[in-house]
């Protein structure tokens, strides 16, 4: 008797702004994996021509590479929300978040997928801090700030997640269908905290998967003091907000 193999549909969302040095290489690395991963690039009007590179790659990978172009820098959170809605409309089973700059290793995508598809998690997180501190080539000051930022979030929100600001994740479809995406308020890196907390409060199972985070070698970081400010005050507001599933 022939065994029926059911392939789930997987989409990796990669927001970009001035990532011409990285976007082709990261695309080819993801497409080199087994499992039929697709990519959705959401480009915020990169003046360096990132979107043009993606358009050329689409000619080579027309069924697997997708592009949304937006005018101007509209924020990390809004990029992912747009990507989530796009993925839900097209029936993907698992939706990943990943940076373009190789700080997230594409080879870890199958491990995040397995934590959900085989391990029972509804959201898996590529965690820098669940197994010590696994960060390479970051200045010590940034490591300390990031580590204690997560500790601050754990304390204020009461969630048992070691890497609350992680941006390397895999959502099962039912999580994104349940969350009211239009009600997500934070736009910068606080968005990552808000999505994890909302997932937790709605009763979904979250699992951290240890990964090694490597600071970018090419291109420029998009971090700023404003991003940290939004996250700090946003966490306090989040603590007192009533969260509910989408009607």
């Amino acid at each position: 008797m022939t065994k029926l193999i059911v392939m789930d549909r997987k989409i990796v969302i990669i927001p970009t702004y001035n990532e011409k040095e990285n976007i082709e290489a990261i695309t080819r690395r993801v497409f080199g994996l087994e499992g039929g991963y697709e990519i959705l690039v959401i480009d915020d009007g990169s003046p360096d021509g990132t979107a043009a590179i993606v358009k050329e790659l689409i000619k080579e990978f027309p069924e697997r590479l997708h592009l949304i172009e937006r005018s101007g820098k509209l924020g990390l959170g809004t990029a992912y929300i747009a990507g989530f809605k796009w993925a839900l409309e097209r029936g993907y089973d698992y939706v990943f978040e990943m940076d373009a700059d190789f700080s997230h290793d594409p080879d870890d995508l199958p491990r995040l997928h397995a934590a959900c598809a085989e391990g029972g998690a509804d959201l898996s997180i590529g965690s820098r801090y669940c197994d010590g501190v696994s960060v390479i080539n970051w200045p010590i000051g940034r490591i300390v700030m990031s580590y204690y930022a997560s500790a601050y979030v754990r304390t204020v929100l009461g969630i048992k997640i070691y890497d609350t600001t992680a941006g390397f994740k895999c959502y099962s479809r039912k999580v994104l269908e349940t969350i009211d995406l239009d009600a997500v308020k934070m736009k910068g890196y606080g968005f990552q905290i808000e999505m994890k907390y909302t997932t937790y409060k709605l009763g979904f199972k979250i699992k951290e998967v240890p990964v090694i985070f490597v600071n970018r070698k090419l291109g420029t970081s998009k971090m700023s003091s404003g991003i940290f400010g939004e996250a700090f005050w946003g966490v306090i507001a989040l603590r007192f907000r009533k969260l509910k599933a989408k009607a």
Side-chain angles (χ1 to χ4, degrees), residues 19-36:
E19 292 290 354
K20 67 177 183 181
E21 299 94 343
N22 296 303
I23 192 61
E24 179 173 356
I26 198 77
T27 297
R28 294 189 183 280
R29 278 284 302 278
V30 172
F31 289 165
L33 299 171
E34 294 182 357

Side-chain angles (χ1 to χ4, degrees), residues 133-150:
V133 177
S134 300
V135 179
I136 295 175
N137 293 336
W138 255 11
I140 187 64
R142 189 168 175 183
I143 293 175
V144 170
M145 180 182 296
S146 174
Y147 182 86
Y148 282 103
S150 282

Side-chain angles (χ1 to χ4, degrees), residues 98-166:
M98 191 174 75
D99 290 346
D101 61 7
F102 284 96
S103 56
H104 303 147
D105 187 346
D107 289 344
D108 288 324
L109 288 170
R111 298 172 60 229
L112 294 179
H113 174 251
C116 292
E118 302 168 18
D122 301 303
L123 165 63
S124 60
I125 301 169
S127 178
R128 297 164 291 187
Y129 306 128
C130 70
D131 189 20
V133 177
S134 300
V135 179
I136 295 175
N137 293 336
W138 255 11
I140 187 64
R142 189 168 175 183
I143 293 175
V144 170
M145 180 182 296
S146 174
Y147 182 86
Y148 282 103
S150 282
Y152 163 76
V153 173
R154 283 199 304 276
T155 300
V156 174
L157 298 181
I159 55 177
K160 295 180 180 180
I161 298 174
Y162 286 96
D163 196 347
T164 58
T165 61

